[in-house]
Amino acid sequence: MKKENIKETQNDLMEKIVSLCKRRGFVFQGSEIYGGLGGTFDWGHFGVALKNNIKQAWWKKFVDGRRDMYGVDAAILMNSKVWEASGHVAGFSDPLIECEKCKKRFRADQLSDIKKCPECEGKLGSMRQFNMMFATKIGAMEDSAATVYLRPETAQGMFVNFKNTVDAFHPRLPFGMAQIGKAFRNEITPRDFLFRQREFEQMEIEYFVRQGTWEKYFEYWKDEMTEWMQEIGIDIKRVHELEVPAEDRAHYSSRTIDFEFDYPFGKKELFGLAYRTDFDLKNHKLDYIDEEMGEKIVPHVIEPTFGVDRAVLALIVSVYAEDQKDGEVRSYLKFKPSIAPVICAVSPLLKNKPELVEYANTKVFAPLKAEFGRVAWDDNGNIGKRYRRQDEIGTPFCIVVDFDTLTDNTVTVRDRDTGEQERIPVAELKNYINSKISI
Ligand code: ATP
């Protein structure tokens, strides 16, 4: 395929994904009825469910599934001394450049020509550093002492609780702290749907090690991250590791690998893995008594960091599929059952037949809902329409109660990917679905 055609197909794919996300209640533009607010999105019912499943899969693997990890949920507002010590007040900035003609602003490091405006070809002004932290005031005073920042990363919430965690749990090195939460960055050019937002969510781990062992644990976390991406269903063939050169690394990092993903708009960062050395603990004047070695040390840190929103986007791009069914193009999301926002949908064949509705509701829907939670009731439109809707939501199984069910207590279970249907006894449904969730 020619280069321009590939670009067009990819733009087209992105448009289809954005529109599906809105149509099916995953993601909406933030403050939409007032014209939106750049770089913000609101999540609808299925988007929340998908995000929760991703976050739970992360927590299960990296916190509940281990004995060396301690969870944290720190406040978003922190004393501004934290951000002075961490280097963010002085150094968390992007190079900003403004067009003298159209007044549009750009990130200079993302332009191929820093003299000519990519929008109107006008002259670009001089470059200046733009701090990306959102500042606000705390309390009623308007003086500078009351300035606080919305956190631009969740990491510092863990570093400042390092001592509390050591005192409360007495962990031995190596051990980690993990946190899921919102982060805020005043991005100059929010763009590409969920990819670059001003308010987003991170899942981060700070893994504390002895200095001499950092390389071993860096490799170890690289593999863990890759494994998790595969577990949730991100297409690993689209993921590429980039060794970030020194001049592009964050101020705290001595080595960084970006996991880049082939999004429809190009190859860009999905997650990152950084060796933060002892930079943060040292700057916060924190240390650790290493009882095994009999000395006081400042542990070094390996940081695997995951963006929830980019995980959602990469996953949707990975599982989006189209095929031809009955002369029509069908689009569907091939989520793994363990991650899908809805695991199964229950329908009475006809909604005006009370005996079917009654059976479907009490003998199928209610017990499955009580067991799995992620179960939808769908009696809107004909069966074909219901299947198309559930395909777009990514529901792996559609269960239909028909007239045979009333006599033989079996239902039709339709597989989202193949469209094949099989008869399953109602009494077997829980086991059937349980066996699929583990996949
Ligand atoms: P980029 O180079 O794309 O700006 P970054 O290197 O600044 O990203 P990190 O500071 O490493 O990003 O943040 C950790 C993770 O948080 C990223 O890997 C990404 O998944 C997510 N993330 C960062 N910035 C944003 C954003 N503006 N919108 C959505 N997710 C983000």
Side-chain angles (χ1 to χ4, degrees), residues 39-58:
T40 66
F41 288 92
D42 295 340
W43 294 77
H45 185 70
F46 293 133
V48 180
L50 178 60
K51 268 209 301 187
N52 282 345
N53 293 345
I54 289 174
K55 289 189 276 186
Q56 270 163 20
W58 188 87

Side-chain angles (χ1 to χ4, degrees), residues 39 88 92 94 107 109-110 132 152-153 183-187 189-191 193-204 225 244 248 250 252 256-259 263 268-274 276 303-311:
H88 284 77
F92 193 63
D94 273 343
R107 248 177 78 171
D109 57 334
Q110 290 176 344
M132 290 202 290
E153 59 171 26
F184 303 82
R185 295 182 188 178
N186 198 357
E187 296 279 358
T189 45
R191 59 168 66 177
F193 194 35
L194 304 173
F195 178 78
R196 191 168 299 289
Q197 301 173 64
R198 292 193 167 117
E199 174 175 342
F200 55 97
E201 212 168 356
Q202 294 184 316
M203 305 180 283
E204 294 197 296
M225 292 178 82
V244 180
D248 294 339
Y252 49 73
T256 297
I257 284 180
D258 280 351
F259 288 92
Y263 299 97
K268 301 215 163 119
E269 178 174 335
L270 170 59
F271 304 141
L273 175 64
R276 287 182 87 125
E303 179 191 66
T305 171
F306 304 71
V308 178
D309 312 72
R310 289 189 192 176

Side-chain angles (χ1 to χ4, degrees), residues 98-236:
E98 191 175 289
C99 172
E100 292 177 357
K101 194 169 151 203
C102 72
K103 305 289 175 214
K104 282 228 168 89
R105 291 173 164 189
F106 304 95
R107 248 177 78 171
D109 57 334
Q110 290 176 344
L111 296 176
S112 50
D113 181 351
I114 58 161
K115 291 202 171 67
K116 195 162 74 186
C117 173
E119 299 272 329
C120 74
E121 305 210 330
K123 186 167 174 282
L124 291 177
S126 52
M127 191 165 77
R128 68 183 166 92
Q129 289 301 320
F130 172 76
N131 194 299
M132 290 202 290
M133 285 197 294
F134 281 101
T136 186
K137 300 276 182 193
I138 206 158
M141 291 175 301
E142 277 290 319
D143 61 26
S144 65
T147 295
V148 289
Y149 300 99
L150 301 189
R151 64 183 181 201
E153 59 171 26
T154 59
Q156 297 304 324
M158 291 181 271
F159 292 127
V160 300
N161 282 294
F162 176 79
K163 185 171 183 310
N164 287 335
T165 301
V166 169
D167 290 349
F169 307 107
H170 310 289
R172 296 262 172 92
L173 289 174
F175 70 92
M177 294 170 73
Q179 175 165 225
I180 300 179
K182 289 263 183 167
F184 303 82
R185 295 182 188 178
N186 198 357
E187 296 279 358
I188 297 168
T189 45
R191 59 168 66 177
D192 297 323
F193 194 35
L194 304 173
F195 178 78
R196 191 168 299 289
Q197 301 173 64
R198 292 193 167 117
E199 174 175 342
F200 55 97
E201 212 168 356
Q202 294 184 316
M203 305 180 283
E204 294 197 296
I205 292 168
E206 307 304 328
Y207 199 71
F208 302 98
V209 303
R210 293 187 184 95
Q211 180 174 12
T213 62
W214 80 265
E215 278 161 312
K216 178 174 94 182
Y217 287 109
F218 195 91
E219 290 307 311
Y220 166 81
W221 279 104
K222 191 154 69 100
D223 294 344
E224 287 288 291
M225 292 178 82
T226 308
E227 202 176 277
W228 184 77
M229 288 185 239
Q230 280 171 307
E231 277 170 21
I232 64 163
I234 289 178
D235 179 2
I236 214 70

Side-chain angles (χ1 to χ4, degrees), residues 258-370:
D258 280 351
F259 288 92
E260 296 193 316
F261 183 81
D262 293 320
Y263 299 97
F265 44 83
K267 187 163 76 159
K268 301 215 163 119
E269 178 174 335
L270 170 59
F271 304 141
L273 175 64
Y275 168 41
R276 287 182 87 125
T277 68
D278 55 357
F279 178 88
D280 300 273
L281 290 186
K282 226 179 196 166
N283 285 354
H284 292 307
K285 303 194 169 33
L286 294 164
D287 53 29
Y288 172 87
I289 296 171
D290 189 343
E291 278 169 16
E292 261 167 63
M293 308 301 272
E295 56 185 352
K296 197 188 252 187
I297 61 165
V298 180
H300 281 231
V301 175
I302 306 294
E303 179 191 66
T305 171
F306 304 71
V308 178
D309 312 72
R310 289 189 192 176
V312 170
L313 182 55
L315 183 56
I316 292 182
V317 170
S318 299
V319 302
Y320 181 88
E322 285 178 0
D323 62 12
Q324 291 274 347
K325 276 259 177 323
D326 315 323
E328 262 181 53
V329 178
R330 158 181 97 121
S331 47
Y332 60 113
L333 298 176
K334 288 202 299 188
F335 290 124
K336 289 186 170 194
S338 53
I339 290 291
V342 179
I343 184 144
C344 63
V346 178
S347 288
L349 181 65
L350 300 168
K351 71 172 173 186
N352 55 1
K353 295 285 172 202
E355 62 276 35
L356 294 184
V357 174
E358 167 75 9
Y359 192 108
N361 200 4
T362 56
K363 299 216 166 107
V364 183
F365 178 73
L368 291 180
K369 184 86 181 151

